Every structure is written in structure tokens, then in C-alpha cells.
Amino acid sequence: MKNLKILIGLLVLFFLSCDDQEKPIFTADDLALIPQPQKLTLNPGNFQFTEATVFVISDSLQSVTTVFRDQFNSSAGWDLQVQQQAPADNYVQFTIDKNLKPEAYSLTVTSEFIDIKAASAAGFRYALETLRQLLPVHIEKKQVGEKDSFYIPNLAIEDAPGFKWRGLMLDVSRHFFEKDYILKTIDRLALLKMNTLHLHLVDDQGWRIEIKKYPKLTEVGAFRVNQEDKHWNARSENNPDENGTYGGFYTQEDIKEIVAYATQRGLTVVPEIEMPAHVMSAIASYPFLSCTQQPIGVPSGGVWPITEIYCPGKETTFKFLQEVLSEVMPLFPSKYIHVGGDEATKTNWETCPDCQRRMKEEHLEDTDELQSYFMKRMEQFLEANDKVLIGWDEILEGGLPPSATVMSWRGTKGGWEASKAGHDVIMTPENPMYFNFYQGNPDVEPLAFDAMNTLEQVYDFSPVIDSMSVSQKNHVLGAQANLWSEYITTQDDSEYMIFPRITALTEVLWSANSKPGWEDYTSRLQRFLPRLDALGINYSRSIYNVEATAERDTVFGGIRLALASEMPQASVLYALDNEELNANAKVYNEPFTIDSTTTLTAAVFENGAPTGRVLSKTFNFHKAAGSTVTLVEQPHRNYRGAGGATLVNVLRGSKNFHDGQWLGWLATPVTLLIDLNEVKEFSKVRIGALENQGAGIYFPSDFKVSVSKDSINYVTVGQLEHVFKANGASTLKTFTVDTKMQKAQFIKVEITTYIPENKRGVFTFLDELVIE
């Protein structure tokens, strides 16, 4: 009997020991919370969600648990119950605490129960999103998996957001995105505790919301002629009689579903109904809205300048807009309605009899004041319907409507001025809040707008400007990222541009001045990325890409290469020429010098394999490398690089023409005088050039190469002509002038660039002059 008791005791200890071994032991390195909570204390032990876990909550708040409980249903097959009395253990309790701020929450996790305190439904939702991020990534999947793996660490969190407005704008006009993608985006924003989705529903290229009083807005304005096979800025003007086939729109029932879905997840959907510009889709539907009243087609691509805009001289324009907004406002419980107000070219207003009559009657000095009149009328209408007008910072011009909120996109100056005048502002400057900009090397990234906003730049952003007074700072509601969709054609494209940059922005806006820093954030991001994988998000891994920078080595000759990744502490491996890039390749620790033609490959490695794109780059030490180049015509002051040496430094420029490797001349021919320092034999002269017609940069049209023995008398040995073609893309090209075999020390290269009739002047951009 005694032996049996001993055996039973040992068995109990064994099973208890096994049970303890199965339970995870959490450390700070296991946590991947984004945004980082304001205050977090990790305690010993853990809590396990099981099929018997219950939610203890009052009837009035039960709906806040629905989404969270649904995730257990889809990932574990559990139907977790709600009740009003707490059991002995294994429960999540919700307690209203009116002493907390509106969006704040406290979260205490013990081995027996979880306690959540908040003053509002928003606070409870954010606490549940924190629990969601603490759970294994399987919680994100729509398939039943390991039911006994839902452990989270014991901890205590005190948390609240730093800013009220934490948003993302989706442009669904330039390219239309189906309702299902909007719903997915709402889910993902909720995970990150973002609280605003701004939908850009109207622009020149598409009207995306059903207005029952004006059916042509979607019958005509929602569709354009399909020119998707051409670059956005190389599409032709459409005949107004040709039916459009590309596009789509949201019915009012779709909008109701989107808004309800967002509301359940704690997000506000803010509609943008553009005016007075970016409205060609509306004018194509109803030509009476413009000054000329001439039929136009819905544009298929870029339009600049934007002259077909609403006519503020006619009362019919305001009647139309008020009736449109009267259908829009009931669909969106948001207190804000965005009315655009940007990029209106007012040349038609200057000659329109109705506009001129309006200006005279209202004692308006110029068309800027006429636009202000336009906006003030719309603000009065919105205010009468208990809505607040938001506009882009152009609404400052000519006078700001009294209660308007300003969204500052042309830098932060507009936000500073508006806050000084006592207006609320939302900071969304192009740099770094435009997510349609490149986030990595443009040479290897998907097509984007020609500027750069890296993940680190987003993380370093602050909506508040140091020079603001306390009063001004109090007017800064927050910030949002904008994803304009000229080049964003698919859901995968959209996800790639949003993630992971939106994770940096949410920490900027939630953690504000207490954010823990770039290295801490990126460490958590690495652990957070598997959650994005589980959600099926096509996120960018540009942060892992290796970039090579180089400079002339004035001591040892050649060039000195430095390798870097945006990810701190990343392990960069590299190989030269025929060496194989694998887990056994050289580890990069410090810059190194090369002095002959070399091919470099490099990548960030994790677990023995590349985790980003592999960099492959050849540095060509050609016969002009390091020679003396005299620039007869000086480049533009913004694109001078290191002078003539830039053209023979072996370094090629990228599509980012601000990278320091380009020389740019504006509206002038280019003459280059090259001294090879000794007589050399060659047969080809290659000239690297960039074309970006949207930015006013064009390929050269004519090249002439001459040689001389004395640097005075030159003989032409080769010429090349390039025929101008419309090109909407940013393109790198090397032009080769065949000179046949020559022996010379002095070479002259003369370059001219074709200037189209509608241009006063264009840039010529050159990055390298190669002699072979």
C-alpha cells in the first residue's frame, strides 16, 4: 500500500512536470507588439485560451468581443461564450473605468484570468487587438489548427494613443479596388490600432460611388477606355463618344456594408468627394458642370494641368454638389467630409462669363478668392448638416473656410499656417507620408512615383513641428499615409506599398514621443512579419535589400565600396566576380577597395539563405575612368554632382535622379571635353542617360564624338541620332557611338536634346561616359 502511494505520487509529479514542460516560458524577445504599448511589464507564467474560456462583459458591450471570438471560431473551431458573472478562472473580464481617457485601456494577464479596463468600446477593442498580437500567428488563419497552443504571457499593460487621427487613404479612383479588398484593409488597420480609413472616391479617372439622383456619374464616370497596356503618363485622350470598359463603383449598399464592417472594428470611414478640380469623370457625365460645357471623355491616365474643373459661376454647380453630398452624408457617420480642393488650374475661370460675373457680384479680387468662395459655400452646407469640411492645404489660398480642417500634403507648412490660425490639421506631407513613392532602390522596385520614402523615414516622422506653439500642437489631430493609385493596379501592388510602412506609422502615431527607437522597432518587426504571412499580405521586404555606395579612393586609387541594408544589425554577405554567393561567402564588416572591373553580388542572409533581393552590380573600369572631364556648359545647380568627375567615376546612377550620380542640364546643349591623360586606343563611346518625361527629363536626340591630338583641332569620328518617342516610364539607357578604332588623348562629346513643342525646356541627365 505504501509503495502504491509512492508510485501514485511519482506519477502525479511526472504528469505535472510534463504539463509544466509543455507550457511556454515567455521572454521580452517573444513579444512582437506593434505599436509598442506605452507601459508594459512582463510577469512570470502564462494564460491559456481554451474552449472553456468565457468573456465576462455587460450586455451593452458584448459586440466589442464579436470579431475576437470569431477568430477563435475560424482558427480553432471554438464558440467562446459571453456571460455576466465571472467563473473561478479561465475568463476575460471587461470593466468600465471612466477615469481612463477615451481610447486608453489597461490589460492585466494572469494565469487564472485576464482583466481589461477601458472607458469606451474603443479602448476595449484596442486591448483585444493587443491580445490578438500576443497570440500565436495561427489565430490569423481561417483553418482549424492546434487547439492547445493559444498561450499568452502574463503581463500588465497601461496604454493609450498619442494622436487622435491615425489614418490611411486609399485612392480607389485611379484604379478601382473591389469591396472585399477594402474589408481586408479595414481588418489589417484594426490589428494595428489605426482608426481612420480615408477613401478617395472621386478623381478625373473615375467616379466610384453610386449617386441615385445622378446615375450617369457611375454609368459614364465610373468607366474609362481601357489603356492599361500603356504607362499612366503615355495614355492618349479619349473620345467622349467611346464607351469605357475599365472601372467600377460601389453601390450605396456596398458603402453601408463597408462602413458597418469598419465601425464594428473601431474605424471611421471618411469619404472624399473632390472639388473643384480632379472631377473630369463628373464633367464627362454631366458637361453642364464645367465652364465650357463641352463633352469630354473620362481620362484613362495622367492629366496635367487640370483645367476641366467645376464652374463656380453657375448655381447649377452648387445645386449638383449639394444634392450629391446629401446622398453621401447619410452613408458615412464620420463627422468629417473631405472635399479635396487641390491642384485646380483656374484658367477657364479667368475667361468664363459666369465666373467673372460671380467675382464681380461677390467682390472677389482673383480666382484664388473665387475658390475660397467655392469652399466656404460648401463648408456652410456641410456645417448645416453637422459635418466638418476637410480639404488639402490648397484651401488656404484665398482664405480658409472658418471651421475647416486642413490636410497638409505639400510639406508641413500648410499645417503650421492652419494651426496658427486656429484650425485643426492632419499632417500628411509627401515626404514621408506618400506610400506611392518608392521604398527601395527604384531600379529593382515595382513601378512607383519618382521619389523615395523608406521605412526608416516613415518611422522618423513626427506630425508635430518643433516651432509650433503649445496651442498649435493641440490642433494637430495626427497624420495619415496616402496611397495614390496611378501605378497601383492590383491588390498585391497595394499591399506591397502599404506594408510594412504602415506598421512604422502606427507606432509614430500611437507611441508618439515614447516610441522606443528604430532598432527596437525593427527587431519587433522581424518577429511581426510571420503574422503578415499568416494574413496572406504581399508585404515588401525592401528593408532587407543591400545597397552599394561608392566613392573614389584618393589614397589607394580605385573606388571604395560600402554595403548596407536598412535593417539594423543585418548579416550582409558578398562575393566578387566568379565567387559564389552563399552562406559561406564573405561577411561584410567594413568598406573595401576595388581597382579593376569587378562584379559584386551581395545579400542579407538569414538561416543560411538570402532574405531580400540579391544585389548584382558591375563596376566597369573603362579607359576614361578617373580621367579629366571639362564641362563647357555648367549643369543645373541642383544636379551638379562632383562636377565632371561624376561622369568618369565608374558609378552609375539609379532611377532616383537625386542619388548624386547624375549631372543635369536644363534647356542647353551639352559639350564634354575629356582628357584621357595619355593616348589610348578605343572604338566605342557609351553615354549613360535617364529619361523621365513626367519630370521633364528627356533622352538626348543627337550625339557627336570628335577626337584631337592637341585639344584644339577636333575631327568627328562618330555620330548617333535618337528619335524622340513619348515615354511615360522612368527609363535608364546607355547610348553607344561607334567611332571605329581610334587613337587619341582628347575626346569631345557634343549632345543635344529634342524639345517638344509644348515644352519651354527639358533636362538632359547623364551619369557616366564610358570609353572602350
Side-chain angles (χ1 to χ4, degrees), residues 201-203 206-223 248-249 273 279-286 288-289 298 310 320-321 323-325 327-328:
L201 294 165
V202 173
D203 215 299
W207 184 287
R208 304 300 181 203
I209 181 170
E210 177 190 24
I211 303 297
K212 293 181 179 179
K213 191 172 183 65
Y214 293 96
K216 288 185 179 179
L217 289 173
T218 46
E219 292 171 4
V220 175
F223 297 92
F249 64 93
I273 307 298
V279 293
M280 292 175 69
S281 56
I283 292 171
S285 306
Y286 296 98
F288 73 83
L289 295 168
V298 178
Y310 288 143
F320 165 82
L321 288 170
E323 289 175 339
V324 166
L325 291 174
E327 290 195 36
V328 169

Side-chain angles (χ1 to χ4, degrees), residues 708-714 746:
S708 172
K709 295 180 180 179
D710 56 10
S711 76
I712 298 173
N713 301 300
Y714 283 88
F746 304 102

